[in-house]
Amino acid sequence: MHKISLYHHSSTSSFHSSSLLSRSFHGYKQQQTSYYHGSGYYGAITIGSPPQKFNVLFDTGSADSWVVSSYCSSPACYHHHHFNTTASSTYTSSNNTHINIRYGTGYTQAILGHDTVSIAGLEFRCAVAAATHLSPVFTEAPFDGIFGLGLMGLSKSKQLPLFYKMMKHFEPVFGIYTQTTWGEIDFGGIDTTSIQGKVHYAPVVSDAYWMIKLHSFDFDTFHSGRRKIIIDIGTTLLMTTLHDAHLFHSMIPGAVSNGDSTWSLPCNYHLPSLVLHFSGFDLVISARDYVLQVTDNPLVCFSGISGHASGPANTWILGNVFMKKYYTVFDVGRHRVGFGLAKKGNCSLKCMDGHYCPYKIQMADFSC
């Protein structure tokens, strides 16, 4: 995961109780709340008997699930809910098996065990790790752990990810719908009331990442060939290679590098669109999607396109900037990813008094 946190000075909006629940949708909905104004999303699950409640970040870029343990002594653990394994009558240890999960700017160490997990109204017995050490990057995170929705090849614990077990009970697919202040994960089906028009699919080309092939792309007068694309709800921005990001912003008058592979640019919605060409369909990211108003300065905005040098070569990562526009389908059974234009929900960028809210930007990188 790659997180660009847009810190909001007021409290985070809670999940918006919407009318998007479709009578034709027969799957299971997991509600999500955005934090730092849509830079990431978390939802509530319970673990153990009696149930202990945790907020977890759902992440299609990793495959392991963990929460903070009551045995964690790291300062980063202090302000989180702690999983007390001894208080759960259904918890069993895995012979003191330790796992280490490294991220781009941090890591966690955890002890692997098994317990009952409740998510989206369903209960499963599965592997869950109790984190005994967290690096400082997690100190102010508004979640208590990470729920991996990546493919089996990403698992550090070598345990079957929980959502694989969930899929044994219903159609092996889940859809993700996100807006600025809230979101939903649809397990076991697609909620068509959240989509405008047709869903287009591309085959997954990895056993680890939700990765597909991009045939070509256009930005203004620039045209280029193939890239690989990873779809990751745990990433805030649309992240290209460093070279591509530099090239895009060199074509935007007034764009200025922030020195950390991100850019500031004029608040101008008439800038070029980024057009992604796949086999049989195109997806468009317009200036209204990637020009982000993150301060109370109406002249300077933040670019939703950045560069990165981690992960597989010549690979882009499509994060929340992209997923707010496209309802994304993760089809485990058919090993494919689908995209449908998302219907707009409550996506106002303004405070209750009608003025733009003040934000500050902080970089955090949770990328494996």
Side-chain angles (χ1 to χ4, degrees), residues 241-282:
T241 64
L242 291 172
H243 175 268
D244 291 340
H246 278 285
L247 183 62
F248 293 159
H249 291 94
S250 71
M251 303 176 73
I252 298 176
V256 177
S257 172
N258 296 320
D260 58 0
S261 302
T262 67
W263 274 262
S264 295
L265 40 67
C267 297
N268 180 1
Y269 292 135
H270 299 291
L271 297 176
S273 294
L274 175 61
V275 183
L276 309 179
H277 302 290
F278 297 92
S279 179
F281 66 96
D282 298 338

Side-chain angles (χ1 to χ4, degrees), residues 64-82:
D64 296 285
S65 298
W66 59 267
V67 293
V68 175
S69 168
S70 58
Y71 296 107
C72 184
S73 58
S74 303
C77 296
Y78 293 169
H79 300 294
H80 296 287
H81 297 100
H82 295 164

